mmCIF file with all atom_site columns, all heavy atoms in Angstrom:
data_model
loop_
_atom_site.group_PDB
_atom_site.id
_atom_site.type_symbol
_atom_site.label_atom_id
_atom_site.label_alt_id
_atom_site.label_comp_id
_atom_site.label_asym_id
_atom_site.label_entity_id
_atom_site.label_seq_id
_atom_site.pdbx_PDB_ins_code
_atom_site.Cartn_x
_atom_site.Cartn_y
_atom_site.Cartn_z
_atom_site.occupancy
_atom_site.B_iso_or_equiv
_atom_site.pdbx_formal_charge
_atom_site.auth_seq_id
_atom_site.auth_comp_id
_atom_site.auth_asym_id
_atom_site.auth_atom_id
_atom_site.pdbx_PDB_model_num
ATOM 1   N N   . PHE A 1 1  ? 13.077 14.771 22.984  1.00 89.00 ? 1  PHE A N   1
ATOM 2   C CA  . PHE A 1 1  ? 13.378 13.955 21.797  1.00 89.00 ? 1  PHE A CA  1
ATOM 3   C C   . PHE A 1 1  ? 12.107 13.366 21.214  1.00 89.00 ? 1  PHE A C   1
ATOM 4   O O   . PHE A 1 1  ? 11.855 13.481 20.023  1.00 89.00 ? 1  PHE A O   1
ATOM 5   C CB  . PHE A 1 1  ? 14.377 12.830 22.183  1.00 89.00 ? 1  PHE A CB  1
ATOM 6   C CG  . PHE A 1 1  ? 14.649 11.883 21.051  1.00 89.00 ? 1  PHE A CG  1
ATOM 7   C CD1 . PHE A 1 1  ? 15.624 12.200 20.108  1.00 89.00 ? 1  PHE A CD1 1
ATOM 8   C CD2 . PHE A 1 1  ? 13.997 10.695 20.975  1.00 89.00 ? 1  PHE A CD2 1
ATOM 9   C CE1 . PHE A 1 1  ? 15.907 11.334 19.068  1.00 89.00 ? 1  PHE A CE1 1
ATOM 10  C CE2 . PHE A 1 1  ? 14.254 9.778  19.949  1.00 89.00 ? 1  PHE A CE2 1
ATOM 11  C CZ  . PHE A 1 1  ? 15.249 10.116 18.978  1.00 89.00 ? 1  PHE A CZ  1
ATOM 12  N N   . ASN A 1 2  ? 11.283 12.721 22.052  1.00 90.00 ? 2  ASN A N   1
ATOM 13  C CA  . ASN A 1 2  ? 10.067 12.084 21.557  1.00 90.00 ? 2  ASN A CA  1
ATOM 14  C C   . ASN A 1 2  ? 9.109  13.034 20.907  1.00 90.00 ? 2  ASN A C   1
ATOM 15  O O   . ASN A 1 2  ? 8.468  12.711 19.910  1.00 90.00 ? 2  ASN A O   1
ATOM 16  C CB  . ASN A 1 2  ? 9.389  11.267 22.652  1.00 90.00 ? 2  ASN A CB  1
ATOM 17  C CG  . ASN A 1 2  ? 10.191 10.029 23.061  1.00 90.00 ? 2  ASN A CG  1
ATOM 18  O OD1 . ASN A 1 2  ? 10.965 9.484  22.272  1.00 90.00 ? 2  ASN A OD1 1
ATOM 19  N ND2 . ASN A 1 2  ? 10.022 9.580  24.272  1.00 90.00 ? 2  ASN A ND2 1
ATOM 20  N N   . ALA A 1 3  ? 8.954  14.225 21.481  1.00 93.00 ? 3  ALA A N   1
ATOM 21  C CA  . ALA A 1 3  ? 8.032  15.201 20.909  1.00 93.00 ? 3  ALA A CA  1
ATOM 22  C C   . ALA A 1 3  ? 8.505  15.609 19.501  1.00 93.00 ? 3  ALA A C   1
ATOM 23  O O   . ALA A 1 3  ? 7.684  15.660 18.587  1.00 93.00 ? 3  ALA A O   1
ATOM 24  C CB  . ALA A 1 3  ? 7.931  16.423 21.797  1.00 93.00 ? 3  ALA A CB  1
ATOM 25  N N   . LYS A 1 4  ? 9.759  15.881 19.382  1.00 92.00 ? 4  LYS A N   1
ATOM 26  C CA  . LYS A 1 4  ? 10.300 16.272 18.065  1.00 92.00 ? 4  LYS A CA  1
ATOM 27  C C   . LYS A 1 4  ? 10.252 15.146 17.062  1.00 92.00 ? 4  LYS A C   1
ATOM 28  O O   . LYS A 1 4  ? 9.877  15.399 15.893  1.00 92.00 ? 4  LYS A O   1
ATOM 29  C CB  . LYS A 1 4  ? 11.694 16.824 18.234  1.00 92.00 ? 4  LYS A CB  1
ATOM 30  C CG  . LYS A 1 4  ? 11.753 18.183 18.955  1.00 92.00 ? 4  LYS A CG  1
ATOM 31  C CD  . LYS A 1 4  ? 13.126 18.721 19.081  1.00 92.00 ? 4  LYS A CD  1
ATOM 32  C CE  . LYS A 1 4  ? 13.052 20.052 19.796  1.00 92.00 ? 4  LYS A CE  1
ATOM 33  N NZ  . LYS A 1 4  ? 14.321 20.697 19.921  1.00 92.00 ? 4  LYS A NZ  1
ATOM 34  N N   . ILE A 1 5  ? 10.503 13.950 17.496  1.00 92.00 ? 5  ILE A N   1
ATOM 35  C CA  . ILE A 1 5  ? 10.426 12.770 16.573  1.00 92.00 ? 5  ILE A CA  1
ATOM 36  C C   . ILE A 1 5  ? 8.956  12.574 16.136  1.00 92.00 ? 5  ILE A C   1
ATOM 37  O O   . ILE A 1 5  ? 8.716  12.356 14.976  1.00 92.00 ? 5  ILE A O   1
ATOM 38  C CB  . ILE A 1 5  ? 10.970 11.514 17.251  1.00 92.00 ? 5  ILE A CB  1
ATOM 39  C CG1 . ILE A 1 5  ? 12.480 11.558 17.296  1.00 92.00 ? 5  ILE A CG1 1
ATOM 40  C CG2 . ILE A 1 5  ? 10.497 10.245 16.540  1.00 92.00 ? 5  ILE A CG2 1
ATOM 41  C CD1 . ILE A 1 5  ? 13.197 11.386 15.964  1.00 92.00 ? 5  ILE A CD1 1
ATOM 42  N N   . LEU A 1 6  ? 8.040  12.671 17.094  1.00 94.00 ? 6  LEU A N   1
ATOM 43  C CA  . LEU A 1 6  ? 6.614  12.503 16.694  1.00 94.00 ? 6  LEU A CA  1
ATOM 44  C C   . LEU A 1 6  ? 6.153  13.577 15.693  1.00 94.00 ? 6  LEU A C   1
ATOM 45  O O   . LEU A 1 6  ? 5.416  13.265 14.774  1.00 94.00 ? 6  LEU A O   1
ATOM 46  C CB  . LEU A 1 6  ? 5.763  12.495 17.939  1.00 94.00 ? 6  LEU A CB  1
ATOM 47  C CG  . LEU A 1 6  ? 5.809  11.232 18.757  1.00 94.00 ? 6  LEU A CG  1
ATOM 48  C CD1 . LEU A 1 6  ? 5.037  11.400 20.088  1.00 94.00 ? 6  LEU A CD1 1
ATOM 49  C CD2 . LEU A 1 6  ? 5.282  10.040 17.987  1.00 94.00 ? 6  LEU A CD2 1
ATOM 50  N N   . PHE A 1 7  ? 6.553  14.825 15.924  1.00 95.00 ? 7  PHE A N   1
ATOM 51  C CA  . PHE A 1 7  ? 6.196  15.872 14.969  1.00 95.00 ? 7  PHE A CA  1
ATOM 52  C C   . PHE A 1 7  ? 6.834  15.582 13.616  1.00 95.00 ? 7  PHE A C   1
ATOM 53  O O   . PHE A 1 7  ? 6.169  15.712 12.602  1.00 95.00 ? 7  PHE A O   1
ATOM 54  C CB  . PHE A 1 7  ? 6.631  17.257 15.437  1.00 95.00 ? 7  PHE A CB  1
ATOM 55  C CG  . PHE A 1 7  ? 5.635  17.932 16.320  1.00 95.00 ? 7  PHE A CG  1
ATOM 56  C CD1 . PHE A 1 7  ? 6.024  18.443 17.578  1.00 95.00 ? 7  PHE A CD1 1
ATOM 57  C CD2 . PHE A 1 7  ? 4.307  18.111 15.921  1.00 95.00 ? 7  PHE A CD2 1
ATOM 58  C CE1 . PHE A 1 7  ? 5.088  19.110 18.343  1.00 95.00 ? 7  PHE A CE1 1
ATOM 59  C CE2 . PHE A 1 7  ? 3.399  18.765 16.679  1.00 95.00 ? 7  PHE A CE2 1
ATOM 60  C CZ  . PHE A 1 7  ? 3.761  19.258 17.922  1.00 95.00 ? 7  PHE A CZ  1
ATOM 61  N N   . ASN A 1 8  ? 8.080  15.179 13.631  1.00 95.00 ? 8  ASN A N   1
ATOM 62  C CA  . ASN A 1 8  ? 8.743  14.862 12.353  1.00 95.00 ? 8  ASN A CA  1
ATOM 63  C C   . ASN A 1 8  ? 8.035  13.730 11.642  1.00 95.00 ? 8  ASN A C   1
ATOM 64  O O   . ASN A 1 8  ? 7.798  13.803 10.413  1.00 95.00 ? 8  ASN A O   1
ATOM 65  C CB  . ASN A 1 8  ? 10.224 14.506 12.594  1.00 95.00 ? 8  ASN A CB  1
ATOM 66  C CG  . ASN A 1 8  ? 10.955 14.268 11.296  1.00 95.00 ? 8  ASN A CG  1
ATOM 67  O OD1 . ASN A 1 8  ? 11.002 13.148 10.853  1.00 95.00 ? 8  ASN A OD1 1
ATOM 68  N ND2 . ASN A 1 8  ? 11.486 15.312 10.773  1.00 95.00 ? 8  ASN A ND2 1
ATOM 69  N N   . ILE A 1 9  ? 7.708  12.651 12.356  1.00 96.00 ? 9  ILE A N   1
ATOM 70  C CA  . ILE A 1 9  ? 7.016  11.543 11.724  1.00 96.00 ? 9  ILE A CA  1
ATOM 71  C C   . ILE A 1 9  ? 5.680  12.009 11.153  1.00 96.00 ? 9  ILE A C   1
ATOM 72  O O   . ILE A 1 9  ? 5.316  11.644 10.033  1.00 96.00 ? 9  ILE A O   1
ATOM 73  C CB  . ILE A 1 9  ? 6.808  10.374 12.717  1.00 96.00 ? 9  ILE A CB  1
ATOM 74  C CG1 . ILE A 1 9  ? 8.178  9.728  13.086  1.00 96.00 ? 9  ILE A CG1 1
ATOM 75  C CG2 . ILE A 1 9  ? 5.889  9.300  12.200  1.00 96.00 ? 9  ILE A CG2 1
ATOM 76  C CD1 . ILE A 1 9  ? 8.131  8.774  14.236  1.00 96.00 ? 9  ILE A CD1 1
ATOM 77  N N   . LEU A 1 10 ? 4.917  12.748 11.931  1.00 97.00 ? 10 LEU A N   1
ATOM 78  C CA  . LEU A 1 10 ? 3.620  13.229 11.461  1.00 97.00 ? 10 LEU A CA  1
ATOM 79  C C   . LEU A 1 10 ? 3.737  13.988 10.157  1.00 97.00 ? 10 LEU A C   1
ATOM 80  O O   . LEU A 1 10 ? 3.021  13.713 9.202   1.00 97.00 ? 10 LEU A O   1
ATOM 81  C CB  . LEU A 1 10 ? 2.976  14.129 12.541  1.00 97.00 ? 10 LEU A CB  1
ATOM 82  C CG  . LEU A 1 10 ? 1.681  14.809 12.097  1.00 97.00 ? 10 LEU A CG  1
ATOM 83  C CD1 . LEU A 1 10 ? 0.582  13.814 11.821  1.00 97.00 ? 10 LEU A CD1 1
ATOM 84  C CD2 . LEU A 1 10 ? 1.240  15.807 13.132  1.00 97.00 ? 10 LEU A CD2 1
ATOM 85  N N   . PHE A 1 11 ? 4.663  14.963 10.104  1.00 97.00 ? 11 PHE A N   1
ATOM 86  C CA  . PHE A 1 11 ? 4.781  15.778 8.894   1.00 97.00 ? 11 PHE A CA  1
ATOM 87  C C   . PHE A 1 11 ? 5.375  15.015 7.736   1.00 97.00 ? 11 PHE A C   1
ATOM 88  O O   . PHE A 1 11 ? 4.937  15.236 6.570   1.00 97.00 ? 11 PHE A O   1
ATOM 89  C CB  . PHE A 1 11 ? 5.610  17.038 9.205   1.00 97.00 ? 11 PHE A CB  1
ATOM 90  C CG  . PHE A 1 11 ? 4.939  17.971 10.166  1.00 97.00 ? 11 PHE A CG  1
ATOM 91  C CD1 . PHE A 1 11 ? 5.536  18.413 11.323  1.00 97.00 ? 11 PHE A CD1 1
ATOM 92  C CD2 . PHE A 1 11 ? 3.641  18.434 9.898   1.00 97.00 ? 11 PHE A CD2 1
ATOM 93  C CE1 . PHE A 1 11 ? 4.906  19.237 12.223  1.00 97.00 ? 11 PHE A CE1 1
ATOM 94  C CE2 . PHE A 1 11 ? 2.977  19.261 10.768  1.00 97.00 ? 11 PHE A CE2 1
ATOM 95  C CZ  . PHE A 1 11 ? 3.618  19.691 11.959  1.00 97.00 ? 11 PHE A CZ  1
ATOM 96  N N   . VAL A 1 12 ? 6.288  14.118 7.973   1.00 97.00 ? 12 VAL A N   1
ATOM 97  C CA  . VAL A 1 12 ? 6.845  13.309 6.866   1.00 97.00 ? 12 VAL A CA  1
ATOM 98  C C   . VAL A 1 12 ? 5.717  12.381 6.331   1.00 97.00 ? 12 VAL A C   1
ATOM 99  O O   . VAL A 1 12 ? 5.556  12.288 5.115   1.00 97.00 ? 12 VAL A O   1
ATOM 100 C CB  . VAL A 1 12 ? 8.077  12.530 7.306   1.00 97.00 ? 12 VAL A CB  1
ATOM 101 C CG1 . VAL A 1 12 ? 8.431  11.457 6.281   1.00 97.00 ? 12 VAL A CG1 1
ATOM 102 C CG2 . VAL A 1 12 ? 9.254  13.436 7.505   1.00 97.00 ? 12 VAL A CG2 1
ATOM 103 N N   . VAL A 1 13 ? 5.011  11.696 7.235   1.00 98.00 ? 13 VAL A N   1
ATOM 104 C CA  . VAL A 1 13 ? 3.956  10.781 6.775   1.00 98.00 ? 13 VAL A CA  1
ATOM 105 C C   . VAL A 1 13 ? 2.838  11.566 6.068   1.00 98.00 ? 13 VAL A C   1
ATOM 106 O O   . VAL A 1 13 ? 2.323  11.052 5.053   1.00 98.00 ? 13 VAL A O   1
ATOM 107 C CB  . VAL A 1 13 ? 3.467  9.962  7.935   1.00 98.00 ? 13 VAL A CB  1
ATOM 108 C CG1 . VAL A 1 13 ? 2.245  9.099  7.529   1.00 98.00 ? 13 VAL A CG1 1
ATOM 109 C CG2 . VAL A 1 13 ? 4.583  9.001  8.431   1.00 98.00 ? 13 VAL A CG2 1
ATOM 110 N N   . LEU A 1 14 ? 2.454  12.713 6.573   1.00 98.00 ? 14 LEU A N   1
ATOM 111 C CA  . LEU A 1 14 ? 1.446  13.483 5.856   1.00 98.00 ? 14 LEU A CA  1
ATOM 112 C C   . LEU A 1 14 ? 1.882  13.778 4.430   1.00 98.00 ? 14 LEU A C   1
ATOM 113 O O   . LEU A 1 14 ? 1.128  13.536 3.477   1.00 98.00 ? 14 LEU A O   1
ATOM 114 C CB  . LEU A 1 14 ? 1.161  14.813 6.585   1.00 98.00 ? 14 LEU A CB  1
ATOM 115 C CG  . LEU A 1 14 ? 0.172  14.777 7.736   1.00 98.00 ? 14 LEU A CG  1
ATOM 116 C CD1 . LEU A 1 14 ? 0.266  16.077 8.528   1.00 98.00 ? 14 LEU A CD1 1
ATOM 117 C CD2 . LEU A 1 14 ? -1.210 14.524 7.221   1.00 98.00 ? 14 LEU A CD2 1
ATOM 118 N N   . GLY A 1 15 ? 3.109  14.294 4.283   1.00 97.00 ? 15 GLY A N   1
ATOM 119 C CA  . GLY A 1 15 ? 3.600  14.617 2.950   1.00 97.00 ? 15 GLY A CA  1
ATOM 120 C C   . GLY A 1 15 ? 3.833  13.438 2.063   1.00 97.00 ? 15 GLY A C   1
ATOM 121 O O   . GLY A 1 15 ? 3.354  13.415 0.935   1.00 97.00 ? 15 GLY A O   1
ATOM 122 N N   . MET A 1 16 ? 4.521  12.430 2.569   1.00 98.00 ? 16 MET A N   1
ATOM 123 C CA  . MET A 1 16 ? 4.868  11.247 1.748   1.00 98.00 ? 16 MET A CA  1
ATOM 124 C C   . MET A 1 16 ? 3.603  10.470 1.387   1.00 98.00 ? 16 MET A C   1
ATOM 125 O O   . MET A 1 16 ? 3.483  10.043 0.233   1.00 98.00 ? 16 MET A O   1
ATOM 126 C CB  . MET A 1 16 ? 5.844  10.375 2.474   1.00 98.00 ? 16 MET A CB  1
ATOM 127 C CG  . MET A 1 16 ? 7.262  10.988 2.637   1.00 98.00 ? 16 MET A CG  1
ATOM 128 S SD  . MET A 1 16 ? 8.075  11.342 1.082   1.00 98.00 ? 16 MET A SD  1
ATOM 129 C CE  . MET A 1 16 ? 8.383  9.669  0.491   1.00 98.00 ? 16 MET A CE  1
ATOM 130 N N   . SER A 1 17 ? 2.696  10.258 2.300   1.00 97.00 ? 17 SER A N   1
ATOM 131 C CA  . SER A 1 17 ? 1.512  9.488  1.985   1.00 97.00 ? 17 SER A CA  1
ATOM 132 C C   . SER A 1 17 ? 0.642  10.224 0.971   1.00 97.00 ? 17 SER A C   1
ATOM 133 O O   . SER A 1 17 ? 0.086  9.625  0.071   1.00 97.00 ? 17 SER A O   1
ATOM 134 C CB  . SER A 1 17 ? 0.704  9.155  3.261   1.00 97.00 ? 17 SER A CB  1
ATOM 135 O OG  . SER A 1 17 ? 0.173  10.312 3.863   1.00 97.00 ? 17 SER A OG  1
ATOM 136 N N   . GLY A 1 18 ? 0.570  11.551 1.095   1.00 97.00 ? 18 GLY A N   1
ATOM 137 C CA  . GLY A 1 18 ? -0.182 12.320 0.131   1.00 97.00 ? 18 GLY A CA  1
ATOM 138 C C   . GLY A 1 18 ? 0.375  12.240 -1.255  1.00 97.00 ? 18 GLY A C   1
ATOM 139 O O   . GLY A 1 18 ? -0.363 11.961 -2.229  1.00 97.00 ? 18 GLY A O   1
ATOM 140 N N   . ILE A 1 19 ? 1.650  12.450 -1.340  1.00 96.00 ? 19 ILE A N   1
ATOM 141 C CA  . ILE A 1 19 ? 2.299  12.436 -2.684  1.00 96.00 ? 19 ILE A CA  1
ATOM 142 C C   . ILE A 1 19 ? 2.370  11.039 -3.265  1.00 96.00 ? 19 ILE A C   1
ATOM 143 O O   . ILE A 1 19 ? 2.017  10.812 -4.438  1.00 96.00 ? 19 ILE A O   1
ATOM 144 C CB  . ILE A 1 19 ? 3.716  13.027 -2.562  1.00 96.00 ? 19 ILE A CB  1
ATOM 145 C CG1 . ILE A 1 19 ? 3.670  14.527 -2.211  1.00 96.00 ? 19 ILE A CG1 1
ATOM 146 C CG2 . ILE A 1 19 ? 4.520  12.798 -3.884  1.00 96.00 ? 19 ILE A CG2 1
ATOM 147 C CD1 . ILE A 1 19 ? 5.017  15.135 -1.818  1.00 96.00 ? 19 ILE A CD1 1
ATOM 148 N N   . MET A 1 20 ? 2.752  10.068 -2.451  1.00 96.00 ? 20 MET A N   1
ATOM 149 C CA  . MET A 1 20 ? 2.911  8.704  -2.977  1.00 96.00 ? 20 MET A CA  1
ATOM 150 C C   . MET A 1 20 ? 1.577  8.046  -3.318  1.00 96.00 ? 20 MET A C   1
ATOM 151 O O   . MET A 1 20 ? 1.474  7.190  -4.206  1.00 96.00 ? 20 MET A O   1
ATOM 152 C CB  . MET A 1 20 ? 3.725  7.824  -2.025  1.00 96.00 ? 20 MET A CB  1
ATOM 153 C CG  . MET A 1 20 ? 5.203  8.283  -1.811  1.00 96.00 ? 20 MET A CG  1
ATOM 154 S SD  . MET A 1 20 ? 6.139  8.315  -3.349  1.00 96.00 ? 20 MET A SD  1
ATOM 155 C CE  . MET A 1 20 ? 6.352  6.579  -3.644  1.00 96.00 ? 20 MET A CE  1
ATOM 156 N N   . THR A 1 21 ? 0.491  8.445  -2.609  1.00 94.00 ? 21 THR A N   1
ATOM 157 C CA  . THR A 1 21 ? -0.820 7.911  -2.955  1.00 94.00 ? 21 THR A CA  1
ATOM 158 C C   . THR A 1 21 ? -1.244 8.374  -4.365  1.00 94.00 ? 21 THR A C   1
ATOM 159 O O   . THR A 1 21 ? -1.881 7.637  -5.072  1.00 94.00 ? 21 THR A O   1
ATOM 160 C CB  . THR A 1 21 ? -1.904 8.354  -1.915  1.00 94.00 ? 21 THR A CB  1
ATOM 161 O OG1 . THR A 1 21 ? -1.535 7.853  -0.639  1.00 94.00 ? 21 THR A OG1 1
ATOM 162 C CG2 . THR A 1 21 ? -3.275 7.898  -2.297  1.00 94.00 ? 21 THR A CG2 1
ATOM 163 N N   . PHE A 1 22 ? -0.792 9.520  -4.762  1.00 93.00 ? 22 PHE A N   1
ATOM 164 C CA  . PHE A 1 22 ? -1.020 10.013 -6.089  1.00 93.00 ? 22 PHE A CA  1
ATOM 165 C C   . PHE A 1 22 ? -0.030 9.390  -7.100  1.00 93.00 ? 22 PHE A C   1
ATOM 166 O O   . PHE A 1 22 ? -0.396 8.930  -8.186  1.00 93.00 ? 22 PHE A O   1
ATOM 167 C CB  . PHE A 1 22 ? -0.950 11.530 -6.158  1.00 93.00 ? 22 PHE A CB  1
ATOM 168 C CG  . PHE A 1 22 ? -1.055 12.085 -7.538  1.00 93.00 ? 22 PHE A CG  1
ATOM 169 C CD1 . PHE A 1 22 ? -2.300 12.154 -8.171  1.00 93.00 ? 22 PHE A CD1 1
ATOM 170 C CD2 . PHE A 1 22 ? 0.045  12.536 -8.232  1.00 93.00 ? 22 PHE A CD2 1
ATOM 171 C CE1 . PHE A 1 22 ? -2.407 12.652 -9.445  1.00 93.00 ? 22 PHE A CE1 1
ATOM 172 C CE2 . PHE A 1 22 ? -0.051 13.009 -9.531  1.00 93.00 ? 22 PHE A CE2 1
ATOM 173 C CZ  . PHE A 1 22 ? -1.294 13.091 -10.121 1.00 93.00 ? 22 PHE A CZ  1
ATOM 174 N N   . LEU A 1 23 ? 1.273  9.429  -6.764  1.00 91.00 ? 23 LEU A N   1
ATOM 175 C CA  . LEU A 1 23 ? 2.304  9.009  -7.692  1.00 91.00 ? 23 LEU A CA  1
ATOM 176 C C   . LEU A 1 23 ? 2.320  7.493  -7.992  1.00 91.00 ? 23 LEU A C   1
ATOM 177 O O   . LEU A 1 23 ? 2.603  7.093  -9.093  1.00 91.00 ? 23 LEU A O   1
ATOM 178 C CB  . LEU A 1 23 ? 3.688  9.374  -7.182  1.00 91.00 ? 23 LEU A CB  1
ATOM 179 C CG  . LEU A 1 23 ? 4.165  10.809 -7.372  1.00 91.00 ? 23 LEU A CG  1
ATOM 180 C CD1 . LEU A 1 23 ? 5.554  10.985 -6.866  1.00 91.00 ? 23 LEU A CD1 1
ATOM 181 C CD2 . LEU A 1 23 ? 4.051  11.219 -8.848  1.00 91.00 ? 23 LEU A CD2 1
ATOM 182 N N   . GLY A 1 24 ? 2.008  6.691  -6.981  1.00 87.00 ? 24 GLY A N   1
ATOM 183 C CA  . GLY A 1 24 ? 2.061  5.236  -7.184  1.00 87.00 ? 24 GLY A CA  1
ATOM 184 C C   . GLY A 1 24 ? 1.238  4.784  -8.373  1.00 87.00 ? 24 GLY A C   1
ATOM 185 O O   . GLY A 1 24 ? 1.740  4.185  -9.282  1.00 87.00 ? 24 GLY A O   1
#
C-alpha cells in the first residue's frame, strides 16, 4: 500500500505543481 501511495503522490505532485505553478 505505502509504495503505491508514495508513487501516486509523487506523480500527482509532479504534475499538479508543474501545471499550477504556471496557471496560478
Side-chain angles (χ1 to χ4, degrees):
F1 176 83
N2 288 335
K4 289 181 181 184
I5 285 291
L6 286 173
F7 272 129
N8 183 270
I9 292 169
L10 173 65
F11 294 125
V12 167
V13 171
L14 276 168
M16 291 298 291
S17 65
I19 294 168
M20 294 302 286
T21 298
F22 175 77
L23 279 183

